[in-house]
């Protein structure tokens, strides 16, 4: 049995956190390959080492003095090393990094040192081999991740090792310069290492016990989601429920490896298991609720719209031409609504409206702003009768006016549009009817 374990920045922010991490890793022999992030925040007003590195490098590039900022970064590592009592000095590494900052080795290089140095510290602490990700994770000339070359080199390298630490977030370009994934990208490295080592499970250790059924800023202490499918996760992440980098899903999903989101500070919690499919019934009819504010609906009316061939295409073309993508499109017989992000639409509003008037000749266009969308997601909805009915009666009881309803063809979700001012009340009402009352 092989597990790949990735630890996020808050799990490795201090010596105390490192101790928890070691305890978790050594508790199971199967936890063979470890992917660390850079040290994150120790407290909420703290700064992540990655951000310190970006800031420091920006000074270096401008030719400004960056000694103080660089010393602060060194101090983060040295504090961990001394508190853990390790026989390790990063002095020569720091010298190289500093010289490369002066030599303008690139912002990606700068940011990647957070994971690189943390990987060296963690490997020393665990007594594991250290693999520099620049030697095993590759990008192509265009800066796209190269799964073929990476898969080949990385699996070969891991095959010869019982244990190893592979730092997250970066790899190398064909010209040997360093490139990082986008922010939060250590999740992607973990997924790549899991696929390359044919792991049975990818454990992603963070500071929350997985996904929750509702936003904890809206509902106090919401129930956790124990098992979720990739499709459900996609629906919830789209609405802003983020724990995991979106691009981290592909490598493991393709290899059929489940992901378990776990909490370093509460390792006994089961966390959330993300799987392709499952026969496990969710605890409730719905798996989760997530939502976002900041939408605008453009409601278009035209008599006999349904029989006018190409009407929808012409309307959508006006949005496409102006680079505004639409999020949803509920329609009636002679009406259609295009729901877009309020900010994206605001910039192009007049061009789009003029275009629709000119090219589609609608009877009327009405614009509704300050909308919020709420996705109620659940694989069990398909086989349960009355789900929509329960949602709408709960909303009616809470005096929430529903402005839009959109059900995906997969019956995996129901999306509801409400006024932004009703957003919190709507979330609470849906949570209460399904989760709090265990229906
Ligand atoms: N350290 C990087 C960041 O802060 C990558 C990561 O933590 O996943 O974005």
């Amino acid at each position: 049995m092989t597990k790949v374990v990735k630890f996020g920045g808050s799990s490795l922010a201090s010596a105390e956190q490192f101790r928890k991490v070691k305890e978790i890793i050594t508790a199971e022999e199967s936890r063979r390959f470890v992917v660390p992030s850079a040290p994150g925040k120790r407290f909420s007003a703290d700064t992540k080492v990655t951000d310190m590195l970006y800031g420091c490098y920006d000074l270096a590039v401008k030719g400004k003095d960056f000694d103080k900022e660089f010393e602060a970064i060194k101090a983060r590592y040295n504090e961990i090393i001394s508190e853990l009592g390790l026989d390790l000095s990063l002095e020569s590494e720091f010298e190289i990094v500093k010289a490369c900052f002066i030599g303008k080795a690139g912002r990606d290089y700068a940011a990647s040192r957070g994971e690189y140095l943390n990987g060296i510290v963690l490997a020393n602490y665990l007594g594991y081999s250290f693999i520099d990700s620049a030697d095993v994770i590759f990008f192509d000339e265009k800066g796209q991740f190269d799964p073929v070359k990476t898969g080949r080199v990385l699996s070969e390298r891991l095959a010869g090792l019982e244990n190893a630490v592979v730092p997250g977030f970066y790899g190398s370009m064909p010209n040997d310069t360093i490139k990082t994934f986008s922010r939060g990208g250590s999740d992607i490295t973990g997924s790549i290492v899991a696929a390359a080592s044919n792991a049975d499970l990818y454990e992603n250790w963070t500071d929350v016990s997985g996904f929750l059924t509702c936003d904890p800023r809206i509902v106090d202490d919401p129930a956790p989601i124990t098992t979720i499918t990739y499709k459900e996760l996609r629906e919830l992440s789209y609405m802003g429920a983020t724990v995991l980098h979106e691009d981290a899903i592909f490598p493991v999903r393709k290899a059929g490896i489940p992901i378990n989101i776990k909490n370093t500070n509460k390792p006994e919690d089961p966390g959330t298991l993300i799987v392709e499919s499952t026969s496990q019934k969710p605890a409730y009819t719905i798996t989760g609720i997530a939502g976002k504010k900041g939408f605008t609906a453009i409601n278009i009316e035209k008599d006999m719209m349904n029989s006018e061939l190409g009407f929808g295409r012409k309307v959508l073309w006006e949005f496409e031409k102006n680079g505004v993508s639409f999020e949803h499109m509920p329609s009636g017989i002679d009406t259609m609504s295009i729901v877009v992000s309020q900010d994206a639409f605001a910039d192009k509003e007049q061009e789009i409206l003029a275009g629709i008037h000119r090219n589609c000749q609608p009877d009327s266009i009405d614009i509704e702003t300050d909308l919020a969308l709420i996705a109620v997601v659940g694989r069990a909805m398909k086989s349960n009768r009355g789900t929509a009915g329960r949602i709408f009666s709960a909303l009616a009881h809470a005096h929430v006016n529903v402005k839009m309803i959109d059900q995906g063809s997969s019956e995996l979700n129901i999306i509801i549009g409400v006024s932004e001012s009703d957003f919190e009340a709507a979330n609470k009402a849906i949570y209460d009817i399904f989760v709090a009352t265990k229906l």
Side-chain angles (χ1 to χ4, degrees):
M1 172 104 160
T2 296
K3 289 183 185 176
V4 167
V5 286
K6 180 261 169 181
F7 290 89
S10 58
S11 301
L12 293 164
S14 63
E16 190 194 341
Q17 292 299 85
F18 266 72
R19 286 196 191 95
K20 292 183 194 167
V21 164
K22 184 172 184 174
E23 206 160 294
I24 290 166
I25 295 171
T26 50
E28 281 187 34
E29 235 173 71
S30 56
R31 294 184 173 134
R32 292 173 53 203
F33 301 119
V34 185
V35 176
S37 280
K41 294 183 179 190
R42 292 159 293 183
F43 40 89
S44 63
D46 200 11
T47 310
K48 290 180 172 190
V49 165
T50 308
D51 292 310
M52 297 169 85
L53 286 161
Y54 278 126
C56 191
Y57 184 73
D58 290 344
L59 289 173
V61 166
K62 287 183 198 138
K64 293 194 179 150
D65 181 61
F66 63 91
D67 273 352
K68 199 176 97 223
E69 287 73 13
F70 200 77
E71 286 305 314
I73 296 167
K74 283 169 66 174
R76 289 288 307 262
Y77 290 101
N78 286 336
E79 191 180 293
I80 294 171
I81 292 170
S82 78
E83 278 187 34
L84 292 177
L86 301 181
D87 181 18
L88 171 72
S89 165
L90 290 179
E91 260 336 292
S92 56
E93 293 288 349
F94 290 141
E95 287 307 313
I96 297 171
V97 175
K98 195 165 190 180
C100 290
F101 273 34
I102 294 166
K104 304 193 175 117
R107 263 192 128 225
D108 281 18
Y109 167 81
S112 75
R113 296 306 87 183
E115 271 67 13
Y116 171 79
L117 296 169
N118 220 24
I120 294 177
V121 177
L122 187 60
N124 180 289
Y125 183 43
L126 295 169
Y128 285 7
S129 312
F130 171 77
I131 299 178
D132 184 350
S133 300
D135 300 335
V136 288
I137 302 230
F138 304 103
F139 294 87
D140 65 18
E141 278 86 7
K142 289 189 192 130
Q144 299 290 326
F145 170 60
D146 181 342
V148 178
K149 186 173 174 195
T150 302
R152 183 166 37 82
V153 176
L154 183 57
S155 5
E156 211 167 279
R157 187 74 185 269
L158 295 174
L161 294 165
E162 189 52 41
N163 303 101
V165 173
V166 187
F169 196 34
Y170 71 95
S172 59
M173 296 284 289
N175 65 1
D176 283 341
T177 55
I178 298 289
K179 169 146 182 70
T180 62
F181 293 108
S182 57
R183 292 301 302 265
S186 296
D187 284 343
I188 308 173
T189 310
S191 181
I192 294 167
V193 173
S197 60
N198 264 323
D200 300 281
L201 185 66
Y202 170 26
E203 284 182 345
N204 189 295
W205 291 82
T206 174
D207 54 4
V208 290
S209 297
F211 286 88
L212 299 169
T213 43
C214 192
D215 188 336
R217 287 165 300 187
I218 299 176
V219 167
D220 281 342
D221 204 13
I225 299 176
T226 45
T227 309
I228 189 169
T229 64
Y230 286 112
K231 280 190 188 144
E232 290 174 311
L233 180 64
R234 166 96 182 99
E235 303 280 346
L236 290 176
S237 310
Y238 164 78
M239 284 294 183
T242 50
V243 174
L244 190 71
H245 194 299
E246 274 218 322
D247 296 343
I249 289 171
F250 187 70
V252 277
R253 185 173 183 186
K254 199 165 160 251
I257 303 166
I259 307 174
N260 196 358
I261 308 282
K262 296 274 288 176
N263 188 347
T264 301
N265 305 317
K266 287 187 184 169
E268 63 288 354
D269 281 0
T272 301
L273 191 65
I274 310 169
V275 294
E276 182 63 49
S277 56
T278 173
S279 60
Q280 286 249 323
K281 293 243 176 341
Y284 317 98
T285 303
I286 61 162
T287 301
I289 310 160
K292 263 203 296 208
K293 292 182 178 177
F295 293 97
T296 293
I298 296 94
N299 304 318
I300 302 167
E301 243 187 272
K302 185 171 187 184
D303 220 14
M304 305 303 282
M305 177 192 289
N306 73 326
S307 55
E308 187 179 327
L309 207 59
F311 185 83
R313 179 182 49 76
K314 280 191 269 179
V315 170
L316 290 180
W317 174 233
E318 297 304 326
F319 288 86
E320 184 177 342
K321 246 184 356 203
N322 287 288
V324 175
S325 71
F326 76 95
E327 310 286 333
H328 297 280
M329 193 177 56
S331 64
I333 296 172
D334 288 334
T335 60
M336 66 189 282
S337 298
I338 317 287
V339 180
V340 290
S341 141
Q342 191 144 317
D343 290 342
F345 180 67
D347 292 341
K348 296 284 178 180
E349 180 185 73
Q350 291 313 317
E351 289 90 329
I352 293 173
L353 294 179
I356 297 174
H357 275 295
R358 210 175 312 118
N359 302 323
C360 314
Q361 280 107 32
D363 295 338
S364 70
I365 303 181
D366 157 65
I367 299 178
E368 213 169 339
T369 57
D370 301 326
L371 285 179
L373 296 182
I374 299 170
V376 186
V377 176
R379 59 188 182 276
M381 287 190 335
K382 203 170 183 159
S383 50
N384 274 299
R385 269 175 295 128
T387 310
R390 282 218 297 278
I391 295 175
F392 298 119
S393 68
L395 292 174
H397 271 109
H399 304 288
V400 171
N401 182 15
V402 176
K403 294 183 174 281
M404 187 203 93
I405 306 162
D406 201 357
Q407 178 171 31
S409 53
S410 58
E411 284 187 59
L412 196 63
N413 67 0
I414 296 177
I415 292 174
I416 298 148
V418 298
S419 266
E420 284 186 352
S421 55
D422 283 336
F423 181 67
E424 281 78 14
N427 269 280
K428 278 198 192 104
I430 300 169
Y431 180 85
D432 282 348
I433 194 80
F434 288 105
V435 185
T437 52
K438 284 205 178 2
L439 280 169

